[in-house]
Amino acid sequence: MGFIGKYAIGGAVGATFYLAPAATVDLDLFVLLPEGSGLLVSLSPIYEYLKAHGGTVEDEYIVVEGWPLQFLLPGNALEHEAIDQAVATNIEGVPTRVMSAEHLVAIALNTGRAKDFIRILQFMEQAAVDLEKLNDIVERHHLSAKWDTFEQRFLRGSR
C-alpha cells in the first residue's frame, strides 16, 4: 500500500496485549506517514485503499472486517517514540506491532481521563510494566509531576 510508514496499535486494544480485555468501541492505530508528507496531512489514500478492499466509513472510523479503525497521527514526541519502539507481535498468524506497556501507561498518564487512570491502575495491579523503563519514559517526556500526582492519589494508599 505504501501510505503508512511505521504504525502501532495503541489505546484499549493495545492494552489487551498486556491486560485482560476491556470493552472498547474502536482500534486506535497510530501511524507515521512516509517522509515528505508535508504539513497538511490527508488520510484519504488510506481510506480509499481500505474502501476498495471492503472497508466502510462510519463516522470517524473505517470499519474493516468488523473492526472500527481510527487512524491517529502522533500528537507529540511520546506518541512518536511509542510508534517507533512498538513491539512486533503476531495475531492469529498476522504480524503486527503494538505499543509497549510502558508507553501505553505514559500516554494514558499524559491524556489523563478517568478511563486512562483506570487503565494505568490495571497495569500497576497486574505488574504488567517494567517500572524502570516507565520511569525513564516519564522523565524524558516531562511527565514526572503528573506521575507524582497519580501516585499520591491512587497508589500510596493501596500499598
Side-chain angles (χ1 to χ4, degrees):
M1 176 163 89
F3 304 121
I4 298 173
K6 288 184 177 179
Y7 73 92
I9 297 170
V13 174
T16 65
F17 284 84
Y18 308 98
L19 305 172
T24 186
V25 173
D26 65 339
L27 187 150
D28 294 334
L29 199 58
F30 288 77
V31 298
L32 296 177
L33 300 179
E35 293 296 320
S37 296
L39 292 177
L40 292 176
V41 176
S42 172
L43 298 176
S44 294
I46 298 168
Y47 276 60
E48 294 306 317
Y49 176 87
L50 292 173
K51 286 192 312 188
H53 290 84
T56 57
V57 176
E58 293 180 16
D59 300 321
E60 69 269 27
Y61 309 110
I62 183 140
V63 180
V64 177
E65 295 190 21
W67 278 96
L69 303 178
Q70 186 170 29
F71 290 90
L72 303 166
L73 299 173
N76 54 45
L78 171 60
E79 292 172 357
H80 194 285
E81 178 182 288
I83 297 167
D84 196 47
Q85 295 180 14
V87 179
T89 189
N90 211 303
I91 303 173
E92 297 180 7
V94 178
T96 192
R97 303 178 56 182
V98 65
M99 291 179 177
S100 72
E102 296 77 19
H103 281 102
L104 288 167
V105 168
I107 290 168
L109 179 68
N110 193 43
T111 304
R113 302 168 297 187
K115 67 181 184 178
D116 297 309
F117 293 150
I118 291 167
R119 187 170 305 134
I120 294 169
L121 286 170
Q122 290 172 321
F123 273 101
M124 301 308 290
E125 287 171 357
Q126 295 180 32
V129 294
D130 178 319
L131 290 176
E132 191 173 317
K133 287 180 185 177
L134 176 61
N135 286 330
D136 178 56
I137 292 168
V138 164
E139 287 179 23
R140 283 187 293 104
H141 292 282
H142 312 290
L143 297 171
S144 296
K146 285 185 176 187
W147 181 251
D148 290 344
T149 300
F150 176 84
E151 273 191 317
Q152 288 174 1
R153 186 171 177 196
F154 297 107
L155 298 178
R156 298 255 159 101
S158 66
R159 289 183 186 173

